[in-house]
Amino acid sequence: MPKKKTGARKKAENRREREKQIRASRANIDLAKHPCNASMECDKCQRRQKNRAFCYFCNSVQKLPICAQCGKTKCMMKSSDCVIKHAGVYSTGLAMVVSWVCHGRKCLSTHACICPLADAECIECERSVWDHGGRIFACSFCHNFLCEDDQFEHQASCQVLEAETFKC
């Protein structure tokens, strides 16, 4: 007869199952949720664009840069894995970043170059990430990359009606 599971064993098994599901879903993150593709507003010209160290339109350096790896804008003194000791001080802005990645141990060890959009090119206008200031999206039908300008027009022409009920 098998041993009866204790509460601690049940909790540990549930935790392991949750962690396994989180690891499996990590590869299927939506492009809009990656910190390197987050939307930001320039401090000086107030124009919306993709997360960058500098503004695409006016070339000003941002006051509060976002870490391209984890998406942090502020480094807390106790609750982070920061490799730089700043006791009693919350580190923000340019004091938090090193080559646009925060001082966190994980972010420094896995460089921000693992961005899924590093070589993305819009299928419609054939502009790369560096040729425009907008964000990049993936077509939900053909799964090709699209820029912000061509996103809706392409998806409207790419979708296919499956029945006479006009459901896509």
Side-chain angles (χ1 to χ4, degrees):
M1 199 158 124
K3 288 185 178 180
K4 186 177 178 185
K5 291 184 181 178
T6 63
R9 177 178 271 174
K10 286 180 187 176
K11 281 183 183 177
E13 286 178 358
N14 289 339
R15 181 180 48 84
R16 274 195 294 274
E17 185 63 33
R18 270 195 320 272
E19 287 173 355
K20 190 187 291 183
Q21 289 173 350
I22 289 169
R23 278 193 300 272
S25 68
R26 194 172 292 156
N28 301 331
I29 297 175
D30 187 25
L31 279 179
K33 292 196 170 115
H34 280 275
C36 59
N37 198 32
S39 181
M40 69 164 217
E41 189 173 300
C42 176
D43 300 327
K44 291 201 174 149
C45 68
Q46 309 296 307
R47 293 180 79 174
R48 296 207 64 77
Q49 60 187 319
K50 185 181 138 188
N51 177 26
R52 297 237 169 109
F54 55 91
C55 178
Y56 178 79
F57 303 104
C58 67
N59 289 330
S60 65
V61 176
Q62 300 304 300
K63 290 180 185 171
L64 289 174
I66 299 172
C67 175
Q69 178 67 31
C70 66
K72 282 197 289 188
T73 56
K74 182 192 283 189
C75 188
M76 310 302 265
M77 58 187 156
K78 291 181 181 172
S79 63
S80 73
D81 63 343
C82 190
V83 296
I84 295 176
K85 302 297 178 210
H86 45 87
V89 179
Y90 292 157
S91 183
T92 58
L94 295 175
M96 187 192 78
V97 295
V98 176
S99 70
W100 311 110
V101 183
C102 73
H103 297 147
R105 186 170 278 112
K106 179 182 174 243
C107 295
L108 286 175
S109 63
T110 60
H111 197 266
C113 292
I114 63 167
C115 169
L117 306 169
D119 55 353
E121 187 174 281
C122 177
I123 193 169
E124 291 288 325
C125 63
E126 298 178 356
R127 291 185 297 175
S128 69
V129 174
W130 293 103
D131 293 337
H132 64 89
R135 298 170 65 200
I136 298 286
F137 296 92
C139 177
S140 55
F141 301 101
C142 65
H143 303 291
N144 287 317
F145 291 117
L146 297 165
C147 67
E148 225 167 6
D149 303 333
D150 299 322
Q151 176 191 14
F152 297 114
E153 186 177 330
H154 171 84
Q155 285 194 354
S157 66
C158 196
Q159 69 186 12
V160 178
L161 292 176
E162 293 178 351
E164 291 178 16
T165 59
F166 298 113
K167 289 185 180 177
C168 298

